Amino acid sequence: MTSDIWCLKGELRQEDSAKLETILEQMAEERGVFPPTLSMFEQAPDEPWVIEVFFPEAPESGFVEEVIERMGGSDWVESFEPVEEKDWVAESQKLLQPVEAGRFFVFGSHDADKARPDAINLLIDAGQAFGTGKHETTSACLDVLDELADSLTPKTMLDLGTGSGVLALAAQKVWPSLEIVASDIDPIAIDVTVENVEINKGVARTAGTRGAGIACIVAPGLDDPAFKDEGPFDLICANILAGPLITLAPDITGVLASGGTLVLSGLLVTQEKEVLAPYEAQGLDTQGRVEKGEWLALVLRKP
Ligand code: SAH
């Protein structure tokens, strides 16, 4: 059964996704229609994003052709067709559902009235940065933070690959005096994190200053002078993919304090051995693991 919803689907590099967003907004304004809904999903760093543009009904003639023309060609387009109603409903519900992980409750602004008095509530909208709590790698980290909340009192934390800032915010809510660095290779993720800190009434601080709060840094790995005055860190969460986790093992271990805890996520269950090897070589011990579907989060400790 088909519905009146149409979807333009394709793959675009992140900067071109942003360009598409601007074009859609401009064209909707020019034509006096509501802009279609754009969803973007990161697959992996350095890979194009999957983009889906949903039109509530078949768009007026020439609209999609003009979008493609303004984008400079149709190489990125995979399909433009009506959406199966059944799938659409299931998908939209999946996207809209809040996520519960341990003491954390992560929800979008459409569910703002569902905040729970007994939970740590985090309002994170699905947007251009990864990390609404819906992905297994994120909820595995939230489960780990929930467990650590009862046994650890870290003073400093690094959230490497912060995405939407969800883990940095979760940690700040658990340990309000925590001095946090939230870093990401992607400047958009850092803009989103700064916004999410505000939205969730978190505390921000400037990198290089000491004290409670989240300092945001744009950097690949630990490769930025701004890290010079930060760390060593009592707690590090790195939810990036297996590849960068392996490459960054010496750098990450280097800024982990003695007795510090490291949470690695973004790896598949099948990648456990290859990701663990370089960390064991640096002398870290495995403390725990959380499996979520095909994904795995590891908890390590520096002696
Ligand atoms: N921490 C969030 C987001 C995880 S997605 C969560 O748990 O939901 C992974 C993030 O890591 C992305 O935002 C990506 O831009 C970032 N990233 C990938 N490789 C990186 C690297 N080498 N250095 C810093 N950030 C990186």
Side-chain angles (χ1 to χ4, degrees):
M1 185 180 155
T2 54
S3 67
D4 287 326
I5 296 167
W6 282 66
C7 180
L8 172 67
K9 191 169 176 183
E11 286 193 344
L12 279 174
R13 302 224 63 87
Q14 192 180 353
E15 30 325 343
D16 293 328
S17 309
K19 181 176 161 194
L20 175 63
E21 190 171 20
T22 311
I23 289 173
L24 291 171
E25 277 167 12
Q26 279 170 353
M27 285 182 55
E29 201 177 312
E30 286 163 21
R31 293 172 183 232
V33 295
F34 278 114
T37 311
L38 174 64
S39 316
M40 305 182 247
F41 307 95
E42 184 182 17
Q43 307 184 77
D46 303 326
E47 277 188 25
W49 289 44
V50 173
I51 64 102
E52 290 173 340
V53 185
F54 290 105
F55 298 86
E57 54 194 34
E60 56 184 75
S61 124
F63 191 95
V64 168
E65 288 78 358
E66 192 174 335
V67 172
I68 289 171
E69 195 188 315
R70 291 196 192 188
M71 285 296 290
S74 64
D75 294 356
W76 54 281
V77 178
E78 271 168 26
S79 59
F80 176 56
E81 56 196 11
V83 176
E84 289 285 331
E85 190 167 20
K86 229 168 77 193
D87 288 350
W88 164 253
V89 172
E91 279 311 299
S92 61
Q93 280 177 350
K94 200 166 94 188
L95 279 174
L96 292 175
Q97 266 164 20
V99 171
E100 226 179 331
R103 68 196 67 194
F104 304 106
F105 188 69
V106 186
F107 57 95
S109 35
H110 51 272
D111 274 332
D113 57 335
K114 294 201 182 131
R116 298 198 175 160
D118 54 337
I120 293 181
N121 292 289
L122 296 171
L123 197 165
I124 308 277
D125 273 317
Q128 288 194 53
F130 184 105
T132 51
K134 285 171 191 80
H135 199 274
E136 289 93 331
T137 61
T138 311
S139 61
C141 290
L142 290 171
D143 278 344
V144 171
L145 286 176
D146 179 61
E147 262 180 46
L148 295 178
D150 296 326
S151 55
L152 280 190
T153 33
K155 291 195 174 63
T156 48
M157 180 215 188
L158 168 64
D159 179 14
L160 182 61
T162 194
S164 62
V166 60
L167 301 180
L169 275 163
Q172 184 171 66
K173 299 289 176 188
V174 170
W175 299 289
S177 55
L178 196 57
E179 187 174 305
I180 303 172
V181 174
S183 75
D184 206 290
I185 196 169
D186 173 7
I188 295 178
I190 290 302
D191 289 347
V192 171
T193 296
V194 167
E195 234 174 76
N196 281 336
V197 170
E198 255 182 58
I199 290 170
N200 287 280
K201 302 195 169 48
V203 178
R205 73 180 174 95
T206 310
T209 61
R210 303 245 72 119
I214 300 175
C216 291
I217 297 178
V218 180
L222 292 147
D223 198 10
D224 192 286
F227 283 106
K228 193 169 59 72
D229 301 324
E230 302 289 342
F233 302 99
D234 300 326
L235 174 63
I236 300 180
C237 289
N239 179 11
I240 46 181
L241 296 167
L245 287 178
I246 292 170
T247 317
L248 290 169
D251 287 356
I252 291 177
T253 313
V255 295
L256 182 63
S258 297
T261 303
L262 170 62
V263 184
L264 300 178
S265 191
L267 58 146
L268 296 164
V269 174
T270 49
Q271 295 168 321
E272 179 170 9
K273 276 202 183 118
E274 56 178 314
V275 172
L276 265 182
Y279 289 90
E280 284 170 343
Q282 299 283 328
L284 300 200
D285 301 318
T286 309
Q287 298 273 297
R289 56 203 297 296
V290 175
E291 266 186 45
K292 290 244 163 165
E294 57 182 344
W295 299 93
L296 176 68
L298 293 167
V299 186
L300 308 177
R301 189 174 171 275
K302 190 168 179 177

